[in-house]
Amino acid sequence: MDGAAVRGREKLACDVAVVGSGPAGASAARVLARAGARVIVFEEGPFARFRDFPSDGFTAMAKFYRDMGASVLMGNAPMPFLQGRAVGGGSVINGAISWRLPRDVYDEWVLNDPAIGDAIPWDEIDAATDEIEKDLNVLPTDDAVAGPNNLLMAKGAEALGLEHRRISRYTRGCRGLGRCLQGCPEGNRLSMDLTYLADACAHGARVLSSVEVGGILVRDGRAAGIVGRASGGGTVTCEAGRAVVLAASAVQTPVLLMKNGLRHGPVGLGFQGHPGTSMIGWFGDPVRVWTGATQGHEVTGMRKEGLKFEALGYDIAVAAARLKSAGRAFAEEIRALDHWAAWGACVRAKGRGRVGAGFGRASVRFSLLPEDVFRLRRGVRVLGEMMLAAGAEFVTPGVHGWHDKVAQRAVMARFEEEGPLDPRAYTMVLTHMFGTCRMGADPSKGVVRPDFRHHAVDGLYVADSSVFPTNTGVNPQTSIMALATICGRRIAAGTGQ
Amino acid sequence: MLLLLSAIFVITLVSVLGYSMVGWAPFEMRWRDALLGAMLPGDGDRPGFDDIDLREFWAIYDTHAPPLVRIGLRAATWFLTFLPLFVSGCRKPFFRLDADRRDRFLRAASSSRFYLVRQLMMTVKTFAAFGYFSNGVVRGLFGIPSGTPGPTTWSNG
Ligand SMILES: Cc1cc2nc3c(=O)[nH]c(=O)nc-3n(C[C@H](O)[C@H](O)[C@H](O)COP(=O)(O)OP(=O)(O)OC[C@H]3O[C@@H](n4cnc5c(N)ncnc54)[C@H](O)[C@@H]3O)c2cc1C
Ligand code: SF4
């Protein structure tokens, strides 16, 4: 059903109303539908048919990214944070990278709150992840479709002796079209709309696109349904007999709670993310970052230091915008755009921020700590050295106040000492978000219990990465799906009801 | 200088916020296009931003751009149009500068020591790149078909 067609008042009823159709909402909805519950998933964004995905980045961002990709978080280094807004959420426009939740991250969570270990045993996460990997055909990127940008990273990492590997991605029949971030035009990336949501619908669930949920109905201390605004101008009210599941993302879920006066516990606080910065380098042979598997190679050897490196494929317009120059020099550099490679460093930042709900909209504040900036400097250094070792004639760190172009590894190595400490000197983007409705046994420290139930409102659950006690240092989609699957199981089993 | 920049920015923001949600006035479009055109000029061989058909690009912008994006581009347009008035060697609004001076101003502004100026320059550059490469003819010049491209076979081992 499409909210664009809803002009009047629509009244619905179900057992479980799920808000948000991204990896979290889709995973929870699927388990519940398979368990026989009548499920309705509400999604603010439109339904996108994969053949309609545009080839250019601008149109894709306009149609399938929240705020056209221009949501900005404020703090000591204002930066955009990107989120998908479509049926399937971020899975429709993301890099398809799959990472299991690292055991050491889980152990940190349990050390801080042993109740999490009791409520969500590691073996259950592990087994749920096995199933997800099987369902989504998660496999290392095939060299035949990798393309130069990925293969060069392997070469650079090898030269520096860094542990690296082909990225495992959820694709089937990927032809390396390099358009994952605009939406795969052939449906080769196994996003939620094509997989878990389709499966949930096959088991009786319904998905309502273009309906923005604004109200959570609470009666006698129990979540009883939702109220939404359809893009067609109408309103949708849905009574939910058993549960309301919030899976609107780590930014929108706390906003929804706050808008409804549900300010219990540290709601909105504890925001964490993985700020990412990029390095570009010029190679003698064409690289064409807009072709090949969008993100097909990664360096994993420094993960425990809070750094992860990935090859970055993106639309040619984004590749151009990353160049340092302006005016005629910019036009000149664009002529040779196919010779630039682009790789990114993703930082497991220790800084914590907050999500607010001023004027009913999300506002995010987040600042890097000094130790995060040190980590960032190390990341930029390693990226530059690795690219030069892979054969780049020169690299462009894109850091204000430092060299525009670097051709020698020895100079790049100095960045770790010399690089600016002002985070605003770096160009960063954030795509992974966590921690704004943390789980915890103590209601003063957690918004939901370790079994995903809200501390103050019965029948209300949070299934997305808001509940993660910390960031994970790795790409989160698969961990989000594993935890949301477990959340769905707990609701199906009637735990705590 | 910082005070001056802040003052221009505040004036810009107030004017821009006032009517950010309505369409561009013709004079504003000229200011905006002067900036975007100088950011990515053509050279006889390759088309520049000014040389391509951008009707679809602006139509998508008009339909989808959220307030934040509209405010950002508007603020960048106003601010960077009048900033040259205070820069020695320019002393005119941007759209009154000749091609060489425009180019010199943009180059200097993109590595300005003021964070705000760099961010507004980044906004203009991003729009110039997005607009330019939204055009099918330009994409074709870089070997990118508008429809579904063929498979990648390149391998450097
Ligand atoms: C460009 C990009 C690349 C990425 N690459 C990767 C990658 O390769 N691998 C990886 O693991 N992760 C990646 N990520 C991150 C990953 O996509 C997200 O972590 C993941 O999608 C989060 O899942 P979610 O279900 O919690 O939220 P989302 O995917 O954000 O889904 C939430 C959904 O809820 C909807 N919604 C929000 N509010 C409401 C409301 N009030 N009413 C109704 N609906 C609402 C939203 O429109 C959205 O569709 C990437 C993200 C981006 C933006
Ligand atoms: S790389 Fe291309 S073919 Fe492969 S999943 Fe992404 S868009 Fe589809």
Side-chain angles (χ1 to χ4, degrees), chain A residues 29-369:
Chain A
R30 173 174 183 256
V31 172
L32 286 157
R34 280 179 164 252
R38 288 178 308 144
V39 177
I40 304 184
V41 181
F42 296 89
E43 168 56 52
E44 178 187 344
F47 179 73
R49 260 167 270 279
F50 60 78
R51 284 185 195 82
D52 299 335
F53 285 121
S55 100
D56 74 291
F58 178 74
T59 311
M61 283 184 137
K63 291 187 173 164
F64 306 121
Y65 282 63
R66 181 170 294 278
D67 290 337
M68 219 173 186
S71 315
V72 176
L73 57 80
M74 304 308 283
N76 63 2
M79 66 183 97
F81 62 94
L82 301 180
Q83 295 190 285
R85 188 178 158 277
V87 172
S91 74
V92 171
I93 45 86
N94 76 17
I97 301 173
S98 179
W99 261 80
R100 301 174 77 93
L101 178 67
R103 176 72 201 233
D104 47 284
V105 173
Y106 172 82
D107 288 343
E108 274 175 37
W109 295 357
V110 175
L111 192 68
N112 277 320
D113 189 346
I116 293 177
D118 299 334
I120 315 174
W122 173 256
D123 288 347
E124 192 176 3
I125 297 178
D126 216 28
T129 309
D130 285 344
E131 277 175 41
I132 291 163
E133 288 189 339
K134 195 159 142 273
D135 293 338
L136 300 191
N137 197 43
V138 172
L139 288 171
T141 305
D142 188 343
D143 274 356
V145 297
N149 196 40
N150 292 311
L151 297 171
L152 285 167
M153 179 176 245
K155 194 171 157 191
E158 201 61 35
L160 261 58
L162 291 167
E163 194 182 303
H164 65 101
R165 64 182 191 190
R166 292 179 287 162
I167 289 180
S168 290
R169 300 160 74 232
Y170 49 94
T171 61
R172 178 171 286 123
C174 169
R175 296 203 296 128
L177 303 177
R179 280 169 57 173
C180 287
L181 306 194
Q182 291 105 284
C184 181
E186 297 185 345
N188 302 332
R189 186 248 320 276
L190 299 183
S191 47
M192 292 298 102
D193 48 328
L194 303 177
T195 54
Y196 276 19
L197 286 172
D199 188 67
C201 290
H203 288 86
R206 294 169 69 193
V207 178
L208 261 79
S209 59
S210 303
V211 174
E212 182 187 352
V213 173
I216 302 170
L217 302 174
V218 179
R219 286 188 208 111
D220 302 326
R222 190 176 174 81
I226 59 92
V227 182
R229 197 161 40 93
S231 71
T235 53
V236 178
T237 307
C238 178
E239 297 287 329
R242 235 158 103 188
V244 172
V245 179
L246 303 184
S249 84
V251 173
Q252 268 69 44
T253 290
V255 170
L256 202 47
L257 287 170
M258 287 186 263
K259 265 185 4 186
N260 283 277
L262 302 173
R263 292 181 175 269
H264 314 83
V267 62
L269 306 179
F271 173 91
Q272 280 202 311
H274 298 150
T277 192
S278 69
M279 175 72 65
I280 57 173
W282 204 90
F283 285 81
D285 289 328
V287 179
R288 296 167 66 81
V289 292
W290 52 91
T291 62
T294 303
Q295 296 195 269
H297 210 86
E298 64 189 349
V299 173
T300 53
M302 292 167 70
R303 181 185 67 80
K304 289 199 175 157
E305 285 180 51
L307 280 170
K308 200 180 154 280
F309 305 97
E310 295 161 1
L312 286 179
Y314 34 52
D315 181 41
I316 188 168
V318 183
R322 172 60 178 79
L323 296 171
K324 189 79 176 57
S325 46
R328 288 173 189 150
F330 183 44
E332 192 54 39
E333 278 193 321
I334 280 181
R335 291 176 78 93
L337 204 50
D338 50 351
H339 285 261
W340 292 91
W343 303 342
C346 177
V347 177
R348 187 181 183 199
K350 297 274 186 216
R352 284 193 182 268
R354 65 188 302 161
V355 172
F359 304 108
R361 278 185 57 82
S363 62
V364 185
R365 289 199 70 80
F366 170 78
S367 286
L368 275 86
L369 300 179

